[in-house]
Structure formats: structure tokens, C-alpha cells
Amino acid sequence: MTETPVEATDLKAQYTARVAADLERNAKEQERLRGEIDALKEQLLALQQDHTVLVNMQQALGAASTPESASVAEDVAAPSVPQQKTATKAEASKQSRRKKATTPPRGSKTAKKSASKAEATTATKPTLVGLIRRHLTEQSEPRSAAEVAAALSQAHPDRRIQTTVVRTTLEGLVAKSNAQRAKQGSSVYYTAPDTQEPTTQSQDEAQPAQANS
């Protein structure tokens, strides 16, 4: 059976529409994955900053491993080779001397200054999640991801805030019930979680208490 020109045209139109839909779906999926990657990079950066603070605090508190523990660990690693044990002990002794030279004494001004500086750095660099939650709490009307990103970029020009990262973070807050999501037409808006319900519940719980008294 031969196809008529009309049938061939309809089939071509169907394939064209299907390819266009697949391309659009592919582009949206790429945008979503980029947003997740950027959010993960933001979380990794925050973890790295926390790690630096913890290391500085550990050094300030003098929690580094002692030479005895280092020697015991090396002895367990190679108990059957005497020469290797001797060399390992010598290396551990050198490492312990280097640690003593680089680690500030407990309670010293340098250690306290290092810990205070690390804590101040963390305090002045809030996470993106914290900034978004605070912004939603301060708003009286719903805000889109683009509006939130623009407001945070204006308030924190030193930070690189992208709309895709903000949208991914907002969706994560919604999943954890730390934000509310509402769709108006083709646009999505976000608000802070409703705090009226706990107040009503506390009033209901107070009524039996008054009745009992």
C-alpha cells in the first residue's frame, strides 16, 4: 500500500512535534541537573569551610595525636619487620617534632586568635539555605525563585547567586516542610511555612488546662 501525500505530511508533522517535545524535555532536564550540581557545589563549599574551622579549633584545643599513639599505630602496621619498625619510629618521631613546632600551645594567644578568626569567618558567611529562609520569613507576599535570587544578589553582591541554585534550594525546603509552594498559571511562587497552626493548637491545649484549674 502506497502512502498518500496527505498521510506522509501528517506523519512528518507528528515526528516533528515529538522531536520538539523531546528537545524541550531534554533542555529542562539539563537545567534541573545544572541546578542540582550548583547546589551540591554550594553544600561542598560550606562543608569545606566547616572542615577548616573544625581543624583550626582542634589545633587550638591541642587535640592533635600524641607521639606515643603515633608510635603504637606504626608498630601495629609492621610488627614482623624489625628494621622497618625502627625506621617507622624514627619517622614518627620526626613527624611528632614537626607537629609540636607547627601546633600552637594550648591556651596560647595564637591559638585563641586562630579559633576566633575561624568562628568569625563562619558567622559572617551564612549558607544559602539560611539566607533564603530568612528572606521568605521577611516577605509578606509570595516570591518566585527569580525574585528571591535578585533580592539576595542585591543584598549580598559578594556572593555568586544563581536562579537555578535558588530554585533547587527552594524545592528542597518545600520537601522538608520549611517552605510552601504555590503555582499561579505557569509561574511558581514560594512563601515561608505557615506558623499560625501551632499557635491555634497551643490555645486549644490551654483551654483544658484552664478548665481543670
Side-chain angles (χ1 to χ4, degrees), residues 38-72:
D38 291 337
L40 290 174
K41 288 181 179 179
E42 186 81 14
Q43 294 177 9
L44 178 59
L45 179 61
L47 289 174
Q48 290 175 343
Q49 293 175 352
D50 293 343
H51 182 269
T52 302
V53 172
L54 292 173
V55 169
N56 291 334
M57 292 181 66
Q58 184 186 52
Q59 293 178 352
L61 295 173
S65 61
T66 60
E68 292 79 3
S69 62
S71 299
V72 171

Side-chain angles (χ1 to χ4, degrees), residues 108-146:
S108 64
K109 292 182 178 180
T110 305
K112 292 181 179 179
K113 185 176 180 181
S114 177
S116 301
K117 185 176 180 181
E119 292 175 357
T121 303
T122 304
T124 55
K125 292 279 279 186
T127 62
L128 181 61
V129 176
L131 292 176
I132 293 176
R133 293 185 63 178
R134 185 187 309 168
H135 179 74
L136 292 179
T137 304
E138 295 172 351
Q139 303 305 310
S140 58
E141 296 181 356
R143 290 290 185 268
S144 65

Side-chain angles (χ1 to χ4, degrees), residues 196-213:
Q196 305 256 343
E197 184 175 351
T199 304
T200 306
Q201 184 177 0
S202 61
Q203 292 176 354
D204 295 338
E205 292 176 353
Q207 290 178 359
Q210 294 176 356
N212 293 333
S213 61

Side-chain angles (χ1 to χ4, degrees), residues 15-200:
Y15 277 115
T16 302
R18 184 180 301 175
V19 170
D22 290 341
L23 283 173
E24 183 180 1
R25 192 182 310 110
N26 185 283
K28 289 182 178 179
E29 186 68 13
Q30 289 186 38
E31 181 180 0
R32 183 183 68 82
L33 291 176
R34 288 194 192 98
E36 292 181 357
I37 291 173
D38 291 337
L40 290 174
K41 288 181 179 179
E42 186 81 14
Q43 294 177 9
L44 178 59
L45 179 61
L47 289 174
Q48 290 175 343
Q49 293 175 352
D50 293 343
H51 182 269
T52 302
V53 172
L54 292 173
V55 169
N56 291 334
M57 292 181 66
Q58 184 186 52
Q59 293 178 352
L61 295 173
S65 61
T66 60
E68 292 79 3
S69 62
S71 299
V72 171
E74 296 295 342
D75 291 346
V76 173
S80 60
V81 184
Q83 294 180 354
Q84 184 178 358
K85 184 189 299 185
T86 304
T88 304
K89 285 185 177 181
E91 183 65 26
S93 179
K94 291 180 181 179
Q95 291 180 358
S96 65
R97 286 197 294 269
R98 282 197 291 266
K99 286 183 180 179
K100 289 181 180 179
T102 57
T103 303
R106 182 182 301 178
S108 64
K109 292 182 178 180
T110 305
K112 292 181 179 179
K113 185 176 180 181
S114 177
S116 301
K117 185 176 180 181
E119 292 175 357
T121 303
T122 304
T124 55
K125 292 279 279 186
T127 62
L128 181 61
V129 176
L131 292 176
I132 293 176
R133 293 185 63 178
R134 185 187 309 168
H135 179 74
L136 292 179
T137 304
E138 295 172 351
Q139 303 305 310
S140 58
E141 296 181 356
R143 290 290 185 268
S144 65
E147 291 173 340
V148 175
L152 294 181
S153 298
Q154 185 176 1
H156 303 276
D158 57 325
R159 300 188 63 155
R160 182 171 171 267
I161 299 176
Q162 298 181 354
T163 304
T164 53
V165 180
V166 172
R167 183 181 295 109
T168 303
T169 306
L170 285 167
E171 291 295 335
L173 290 174
V174 171
K176 296 179 180 179
S177 299
N178 291 327
Q180 292 183 345
R181 181 178 186 271
K183 191 171 184 180
Q184 299 179 7
S186 59
S187 302
V188 179
Y189 295 91
Y190 303 89
T191 57
D194 189 6
T195 57
Q196 305 256 343
E197 184 175 351
T199 304
T200 306

